[in-house]
Amino acid sequence: MKREPDWLLIAEALDRILAAVQPCGAEAVELLDAFGRTLAEPVTSPIDQPPWSNSAMDGFAVRIADVDGASASTPKRFEIIESVSAGAFPARTVGAGQATRIMTGAPLPDGADCVIRVEHTRLDADGHVEIVDDSDAGRNVRMKGEDMTRGVEVLSAGVVLRPGEIGVLATVGRAHVPVAVRPRVGLLATGDELADLDDYGEVLAGRRIVNSNSYVLHASTLAVGAEPVLLGIARDQAESMRQHLAQALDLDALVTTAGASVGEHDVVKDALESIGMRTDFWRVRIRPGSPFSFGLVPRNGRPDLPVFGLPGNPVSAVVTFDVLVKPAIRRMLGRHKLYPRTITVRAAHRIRSSAGLVRFLRVTLEPAGDAWLARLTGAQGSGILTSVARADALLVVPLDREVIEEGESAVALPLASPDDSQEQHPF
């Protein structure tokens, strides 16, 4: 029986998807293997960091009250009572008119409350130090616990571990880190017309088209932090479809490409329904990619298998995966931030659209003062994959807009990239 399209708004489609998925659990990994993973539990510090107040400069530890008014014409003279290097501890208390020579990182001696950098001092013939600039009064001291305090949470569950977070985990002594289990996401291409790379001769001969979707989505799955599982190409035959779907039943999610029409004689739909899938919705107000479907396959003793039916056109697959599938994977990873990051840009030229669907247009971004100029990569057909390769972002055209004028502000979704560099230095 043919199903009528639901035509959901993107927000409603996301709400229904996110309500149907859940985190995949946690595991422990070594700290050096934790980069890019999602922290599964909050982390508290067992120490104060720094463990003691220490010097941020090479110089002289003194009392603020004794430094006030020091200048090149009216220097203040101090007795040097000891020298403390990093790794050593002071033995004497600094009193009035006294100074301790101190190295960066060395503990601040009792009595002192600032460090005068070497550049603001000079030694006299008697071995005393003269301070010739009082601008360091009250400065150059890293206070005990100013970075972390014992017993206080320093990292929350759900954050993605970047170099900074890895450094924090090392500081608090976490040799092993609790992280979210990576969801295993099956990627299944469908269609008699497809050939894989090991059969590329069929493409060169003009008899087939290449299965690029599985490779694009493999990279996209890695980029969001999940584990992609290539399931190959299912032919437009019920038995082939069932055999390939059987490989997905032990995974955490399934993404199919092509066969997303949910029509009366759709082989993908029929095969999924034969293993019990309940289609939640079909069609979203998004372009490219409106024939997107979502459903659940029940499993004994395990959470239902979420199934995302993506269109077969390559750009449609990229857009719907970024907008509708990635938030679900982030939920499965236990992350708090689920939705695509957006930036505000200005249109570099007049951009035409059509009302009724939210359009995602491929654009390059050019720095222009305090803003980014968004320029279309060229033709925007859903089969033009090179437009994605040239793009820096997806420009969002709301469903009630037909034109974005030159210079007008708009929202864009930066595309995931392992390289965040640019040609010109920004400094």
Side-chain angles (χ1 to χ4, degrees), residues 248-268:
L249 294 180
D250 289 330
L251 302 178
D252 299 299
L254 172 63
V255 176
T256 67
T257 53
S261 67
V262 196
E264 189 172 356
H265 300 295
D266 188 286
V267 179
V268 180

Side-chain angles (χ1 to χ4, degrees), residues 343 345 361-365 377 391-395 412-415:
I343 59 174
V345 300
L361 304 176
R362 286 78 77 195
V363 294
T364 59
L365 299 179
T377 57
D392 300 309
L394 299 173
L395 184 76
L413 278 58
L415 292 171

Side-chain angles (χ1 to χ4, degrees), residues 181-404:
V181 171
R182 288 190 179 110
R184 300 177 69 229
V185 180
L187 305 173
L188 177 61
T190 68
D192 288 340
E193 74 281 11
L194 297 179
D196 221 326
L197 295 182
D198 57 359
D199 202 16
Y200 199 75
E202 291 290 293
V203 179
L204 295 175
R207 291 188 288 268
R208 299 276 181 88
I209 60 174
V210 72
N211 170 30
S212 61
N213 281 341
S214 291
Y215 297 93
V216 172
L217 298 180
H218 187 279
S220 295
T221 303
L222 288 174
V224 76
E227 180 183 338
V229 180
L230 291 177
L231 300 178
I233 302 170
R235 300 303 171 190
D236 292 328
Q237 304 159 5
E239 184 57 30
S240 174
M241 202 69 66
R242 282 194 294 268
Q243 289 175 0
H244 282 80
L245 289 176
Q247 303 174 62
L249 294 180
D250 289 330
L251 302 178
D252 299 299
L254 172 63
V255 176
T256 67
T257 53
S261 67
V262 196
E264 189 172 356
H265 300 295
D266 188 286
V267 179
V268 180
K269 174 187 76 80
D270 293 343
L272 286 166
E273 289 182 349
S274 74
I275 59 173
M277 189 186 80
R278 305 181 303 273
T279 300
D280 189 315
F281 63 83
W282 168 55
R283 280 202 180 272
V284 180
R285 294 190 180 278
I286 182 173
R287 179 176 290 175
S290 63
F292 175 95
S293 66
F294 175 70
L296 296 167
V297 175
R299 296 182 290 187
N300 291 329
R302 293 193 59 187
D304 293 347
L305 176 70
V307 180
F308 304 88
L310 277 56
N313 285 322
V315 181
S316 300
V318 169
V319 170
T320 53
F321 191 91
D322 272 16
V323 176
L324 295 167
V325 181
K326 279 187 176 181
I329 293 176
R330 295 186 187 108
R331 169 63 58 82
M332 297 170 80
L333 284 162
R335 294 183 187 172
H336 294 157
K337 298 178 180 179
L338 303 180
Y339 304 106
R341 182 172 65 91
T342 62
I343 59 174
T344 300
V345 300
R346 290 206 314 267
H349 53 84
R350 195 168 194 255
I351 297 173
R352 296 191 62 84
S353 182
S354 53
L357 301 171
V358 179
R359 290 201 69 184
F360 291 82
L361 304 176
R362 286 78 77 195
V363 294
T364 59
L365 299 179
E366 307 165 12
D370 59 353
W372 290 98
L373 286 182
R375 188 181 304 277
L376 293 180
T377 57
Q380 297 289 302
S382 59
I384 304 176
L385 189 54
T386 53
S387 68
V388 178
R390 290 192 293 266
D392 300 309
L394 299 173
L395 184 76
V396 183
V397 184
L399 57 80
D400 59 348
R401 296 293 302 275
E402 294 185 353
V403 174
I404 295 179

Side-chain angles (χ1 to χ4, degrees), residues 116-204:
I116 308 301
R117 72 188 77 182
V118 173
E119 299 93 312
H120 293 170
T121 68
R122 65 190 178 207
L123 296 177
D124 66 15
D126 298 328
H128 288 70
V129 63
E130 291 184 343
I131 294 176
V132 298
D133 188 329
D134 66 357
S135 61
D136 282 340
R139 300 173 61 188
N140 303 327
V141 175
R142 305 175 183 133
M143 300 304 295
K144 175 183 178 180
E146 72 176 15
D147 187 9
M148 306 177 197
T149 304
R150 183 194 304 267
V152 172
E153 183 177 305
V154 291
L155 293 174
S156 59
V159 302
V160 179
L161 299 176
R162 303 167 299 173
E165 286 84 1
I166 296 295
V168 169
L169 289 165
T171 301
V172 301
R174 290 298 186 100
H176 294 86
V177 185
V179 296
V181 171
R182 288 190 179 110
R184 300 177 69 229
V185 180
L187 305 173
L188 177 61
T190 68
D192 288 340
E193 74 281 11
L194 297 179
D196 221 326
L197 295 182
D198 57 359
D199 202 16
Y200 199 75
E202 291 290 293
V203 179
L204 295 175

